[in-house]
Amino acid sequence: MNLPPLAAIRVFEAAARHGNFTKAAEELGMTQAAVSYQIKLLEERVGTALFLRLPRQVVLTEVGARLAPSTTEAFEILRAAFATTRESADGVLTITTIPTFAATWLVPRLGSFQMEHPSLAVRLKSTRDMLDFARQEADVGIRSGETKWPGLVCHKLFYANFTPMLSPALAASIGGIKTPEDILKLPVLDPGDPWWTIWFKLVGIEKPELRGDVRNRLGDQHLEGRAVLAGQGVGILTPIFFQSELQQGQLIQPFDVVGTGKHAYWLVYPEARRNVPKIRAFRDWVLSHIDEIKM
């Protein structure tokens, strides 16, 4: 036999537990008449009475008494399962982020977020693909682009600025970098990157002859940054991603001239989830750290 309607079973469980249709109605937010109707439907489906209707009370019949414990146990199992699922969902923050932001900015700072929120576990998904929040599992995302995305709350973090950087050893190999022309004496990583043309125009050089194979492409800034640190060439990088290396002298930014493109980095999440506590916590943490860097 197929199960009776779940709504009717739920009403029966509450009425059996309370031994009272009125209390069951109060618990379920229904009228007493609606409770009586659902019980009647269930009794018709089962084929026998489940309650005896006495003048001032209802009492389970023999069949009802046999059915009630199993029904209550089944609902307790469901409640426990959903409670466990909710606790798990509330306790895990899933972040989707582009690889460069993850490797150079987020991962080195995640420890402080977890110290501030020890009850939250973090799952990081590093990918260049644009995740669909409606179809894939994630709470928040870090994206790179020129504009906002429909249906998402979008917080602009910073623009993708760029300027040449190199290792001290590579700079020393030609006696130091004193003018932008000195960069043209050194191998350049990813010479086909349009950022190079933009930056050299800013310093008055219209057609720079870059040393390097235009077919070379490392793809992500954090990979190019590793090559620059290894002294393989001059890279054009976003300073905010390499602040630690610059402060420690592992990298040199020879000029204050910084180009600015239209692309920015954004923190995004679905509008419908803007007030979820774990999302609010991560949002506030990210924005406060970004503000510290900008100061």
Side-chain angles (χ1 to χ4, degrees):
M1 149 176 169
N2 294 329
L3 278 175
L6 184 60
I9 299 174
R10 181 167 173 257
V11 168
F12 167 74
E13 189 278 330
R17 183 161 31 85
H18 288 291
N20 187 290
F21 284 5
T22 301
K23 290 182 179 178
E26 291 173 356
E27 176 183 314
L28 300 174
M30 302 169 67
T31 65
Q32 184 176 346
V35 167
S36 297
Y37 176 73
Q38 290 293 335
I39 295 297
K40 182 180 178 182
L41 287 180
L42 188 60
E43 289 176 329
E44 289 176 355
R45 188 67 175 270
V46 173
T48 187
L50 299 174
F51 290 93
L52 294 175
R53 278 76 165 173
L54 302 178
R56 289 189 172 87
Q57 62 179 327
V58 293
V59 179
L60 286 166
T61 64
E62 182 180 345
V63 173
R66 288 202 307 268
L67 189 60
S70 297
T71 305
T72 297
E73 182 181 2
F75 274 95
E76 285 301 325
I77 291 171
L78 285 172
R79 290 187 188 100
F82 278 99
T84 300
T85 301
R86 179 61 184 268
E87 289 173 3
S88 176
D90 287 346
V92 177
L93 178 72
T94 302
I95 306 166
T96 175
T97 173
I98 52 179
T100 290
F101 191 94
T104 62
W105 196 93
L106 182 57
V107 170
R109 294 171 172 82
L110 262 183
S112 70
F113 173 76
Q114 294 191 290
M115 287 180 66
E116 292 178 24
H117 303 278
S119 63
L120 275 178
V122 174
R123 291 179 184 167
L124 199 60
K125 295 182 178 181
S126 179
T127 175
R128 298 175 75 179
D129 296 331
M130 192 174 293
L131 180 143
D132 183 346
F133 285 91
R135 299 186 179 186
Q136 296 168 281
E137 184 181 356
D139 296 303
V140 299
I142 303 294
R143 291 183 176 177
S144 172
E146 296 183 10
T147 186
K148 297 181 178 181
W149 292 267
L152 298 180
V153 178
C154 302
H155 300 276
K156 186 186 293 180
L157 302 180
F158 51 83
Y159 279 104
N161 297 334
F162 48 89
T163 192
M165 297 185 196
L166 69 163
S167 69
L170 186 62
S173 70
I174 59 168
I177 304 293
K178 302 176 181 64
T179 67
E181 287 81 357
D182 290 332
I183 293 174
L184 303 178
K185 303 174 185 177
L186 295 168
V188 168
L189 298 171
D190 196 358
D193 190 328
W195 280 359
W196 281 116
T197 301
I198 296 170
W199 187 86
F200 272 106
K201 281 185 178 180
L202 291 174
V203 295
I205 300 175
E206 288 294 327
K207 295 182 179 180
E209 294 184 8
L210 302 176
R211 294 178 56 190
D213 191 332
V214 294
R215 296 172 299 177
N216 288 342
R217 198 67 197 265
L218 295 176
D220 291 307
Q221 269 205 70
H222 73 284
L223 299 177
E224 186 172 334
R226 300 309 300 177
V228 173
L229 283 165
Q232 295 176 15
V234 186
I236 190 153
L237 305 171
T238 300
I240 199 169
F241 287 142
F242 299 95
Q243 285 192 329
S244 176
E245 291 82 356
L246 290 167
Q247 291 169 359
Q248 296 172 16
Q250 296 173 295
L251 287 179
I252 294 172
Q253 177 186 329
F255 305 103
D256 292 332
V257 178
V258 177
T260 302
K262 295 181 180 180
H263 272 67
Y265 292 90
W266 305 76
L267 169 66
V268 301
Y269 48 85
E271 290 180 352
R273 307 199 68 211
R274 63 168 65 237
N275 291 320
V276 173
K278 62 182 177 181
I279 292 177
R280 286 205 316 266
F282 185 73
R283 176 197 64 205
D284 294 346
W285 176 82
V286 167
L287 294 181
S288 68
H289 280 262
I290 291 294
D291 287 343
E292 289 175 6
I293 290 172
K294 290 178 178 178
M295 291 175 62

